[in-house]
Amino acid sequence: SSASTAGGQGLQSAPSTVDASKALAEMNELEDKVKEAEEKVKRAASQSHHYVGLISKFDTLKGYGFVSCPETFKRFGRDIFIDRESYQGARIGDTVVFSVGFNKKGEVRACDVQKLNEVTRLKQELQQKKQVYMTSISRSGMNVQSALEFIQ
């Protein structure tokens, strides 16, 4: 009877392994699409002296936030200030293209901010797939740490 129990468990875990492999393949494909889309917009942005970044923080009560961008961080040593007017229609986590300007005090700020809808959509889809994958892994009893190493 213990052999049939072990056999039963083996049969149950096989589909989840196949599902996990399929989910990983889908996530890898989507990650490639995200990278490709980001590289394309970064090339176009750099040709017009713009940057591609991520809205990392925004305080709606204070009316300002910050855009994270590795290129501008290297140049200015900090995330780029974004005000309420430039933030219109965007949300935290959105990928945006922007140029850099300076306020009256000479501090750097984001200008000409435009949300990159397709890149943002792809990133959100990838994040959702990762969450579904992690939920299915935790339900299957697989070591979550091992699963995390696959998607990093």
Side-chain angles (χ1 to χ4, degrees), residues 2-152:
S2 65
S4 66
T5 304
Q9 287 177 337
L11 292 175
Q12 287 177 338
S13 66
S16 66
T17 304
V18 170
D19 292 345
S21 297
K22 182 181 175 191
L24 275 174
E26 287 176 0
M27 284 188 293
N28 287 335
E29 185 178 319
L30 199 49
E31 279 180 339
D32 289 344
K33 283 183 182 179
V34 168
K35 285 178 189 171
E36 187 179 309
E38 279 186 320
E39 286 171 11
K40 188 186 283 187
V41 295
K42 281 184 179 185
R43 277 194 305 275
S46 69
Q47 290 173 357
S48 62
H49 304 290
H50 282 69
Y51 299 92
V52 176
L54 188 76
I55 296 180
S56 57
K57 299 176 190 152
F58 198 87
D59 185 324
T60 53
L61 295 175
K62 294 180 181 174
Y64 69 87
F66 296 91
V67 177
S68 296
C69 169
E71 292 82 8
T72 56
F73 195 89
K74 268 192 260 180
R75 186 171 170 196
F76 300 105
R78 60 181 146 156
D79 287 345
I80 305 300
F81 176 88
I82 182 173
D83 62 22
R84 179 178 283 123
E85 289 76 30
S86 299
Y87 184 74
Q88 300 281 334
R91 295 193 316 236
I92 293 172
D94 284 350
T95 300
V96 295
V97 65
F98 64 99
S99 63
V100 172
F102 298 90
N103 66 14
K104 292 174 189 169
K105 297 178 188 173
E107 296 167 336
V108 68
R109 61 186 294 271
C111 302
D112 308 320
V113 179
Q114 294 180 348
K115 179 178 172 179
L116 295 170
N117 292 320
E118 182 63 10
V119 176
T120 297
R121 185 192 66 74
L122 287 170
K123 284 183 175 181
Q124 289 170 344
E125 187 179 336
L126 178 59
Q127 191 58 39
Q128 288 171 342
K129 285 193 182 299
K130 284 183 177 181
Q131 288 172 342
V132 168
Y133 175 73
M134 291 308 297
T135 300
S136 67
I137 291 302
S138 64
R139 287 184 183 154
S140 74
M142 181 179 175
N143 181 333
V144 173
Q145 190 60 42
S146 299
L148 280 172
E149 290 171 10
F150 281 117
I151 63 172
Q152 293 302 326

